[in-house]
Amino acid sequence: MKPFRLAIFASGSGSNAVAICKYFSRHAQIEVALIVSNNEQAGVLQKAQELGIESITFSKKEFVEGGSVDTALQEKKITHIILAGFLWLVPSFLITRYPNKIINIHPALLPKFGGKGMYGARVHETVRNSGDKETGITIHLVNEHFDEGKPLLQVTCPISPSDSVVDIAAKVQALEHQHYPKTIESWVLS
Ligand code: GRF
């Protein structure tokens, strides 16, 4: 068993989860041991199966109260939690259990364009309407509030006036796949 064992929490398509799993597939010290989702229809579950990584789903009640999620994290000896498109607030028992060991990626330059309800295309649309000339990604530690933990990395990309929301989303996603796995690696090993 490798010393550092990641659980990825994801609610959506899972492109970041795939990038992370591929990056660590032959790593000497770090492995992705579990994929966790609140959404039984999430594309990430199919991807977990294809990658041969165990996955679980759970209800809101189970998540907030602990139960099966907690048991799975303990059974798999999870050392770090990676949020990758996970839409629920992380309950305080997990923040306490994993102090400074939960990380998130946000598809904009926090503290702008973050908080509850700011996810997916809504973020990029708000950024575009703001007239800002750049956007990017923020990788940050997770606390009890949406998108407010200590930032570990921000990377920017330019927005041109002709960029659509889809264009902005594609630029930001490319930055996510390029930087999230490497940032996780240096954070886990630091
Ligand atoms: C990413 O844009 C990430 O920044 C945000 O949720 C999205 C997840 O996308 N937190 P995917 O499911 O990894 O493709």
Side-chain angles (χ1 to χ4, degrees), residues 16-188:
N16 279 280
V18 170
I20 295 163
C21 291
K22 289 191 171 156
Y23 187 85
F24 290 113
S25 63
R26 281 184 213 88
H27 199 279
Q29 298 177 80
I30 302 174
E31 67 182 294
V32 178
L34 186 66
I35 292 187
V36 174
S37 184
N38 60 304
N39 175 7
E40 284 182 13
Q41 308 307 321
V44 70
L45 295 172
Q46 172 72 31
K47 290 178 177 141
Q49 202 174 5
E50 287 162 12
L51 291 161
I53 294 174
E54 197 173 310
S55 62
I56 57 162
T57 59
F58 51 83
S59 67
K60 186 117 194 179
K61 187 167 185 287
E62 282 168 327
F63 188 51
V64 173
E65 292 177 358
S68 57
V69 181
D70 208 14
T71 308
L73 295 175
Q74 290 185 42
E75 278 176 4
K76 289 280 175 191
K77 301 196 186 322
I78 298 302
T79 59
H80 295 72
I81 294 176
I82 314 300
L83 308 187
F86 185 69
L87 298 182
W88 291 351
L89 199 60
V90 175
S92 52
F93 82 88
L94 273 183
I95 309 261
T96 308
R97 171 93 45 83
Y98 289 92
N100 294 322
K101 296 220 163 11
I102 309 178
I103 197 173
N104 182 42
I105 188 164
H106 186 77
L109 299 171
L110 292 173
K112 291 167 89 175
F113 312 113
K116 188 168 167 52
M118 282 299 269
Y119 61 87
R122 201 174 306 166
V123 177
H124 306 305
E125 202 173 343
T126 312
V127 169
R128 189 172 179 272
N129 292 341
S130 75
D132 280 5
K133 305 244 175 328
E134 62 176 17
T135 185
I137 59 168
T138 305
I139 298 174
H140 64 93
L141 296 179
V142 171
N143 64 17
E144 287 89 346
H145 307 283
F146 278 113
D147 301 329
E148 283 188 14
K150 180 186 164 200
L152 299 181
L153 181 77
Q154 288 195 307
V155 185
T156 63
C157 58
I159 301 172
S160 79
S162 61
D163 278 345
S164 65
V165 169
V166 172
D167 295 331
I168 296 171
K171 288 183 187 178
V172 169
Q173 190 183 58
L175 288 183
E176 292 186 331
H177 296 174
Q178 185 187 348
H179 292 281
Y180 203 18
K182 285 194 272 188
T183 305
I184 292 167
E185 181 181 35
S186 49
W187 165 68
V188 167

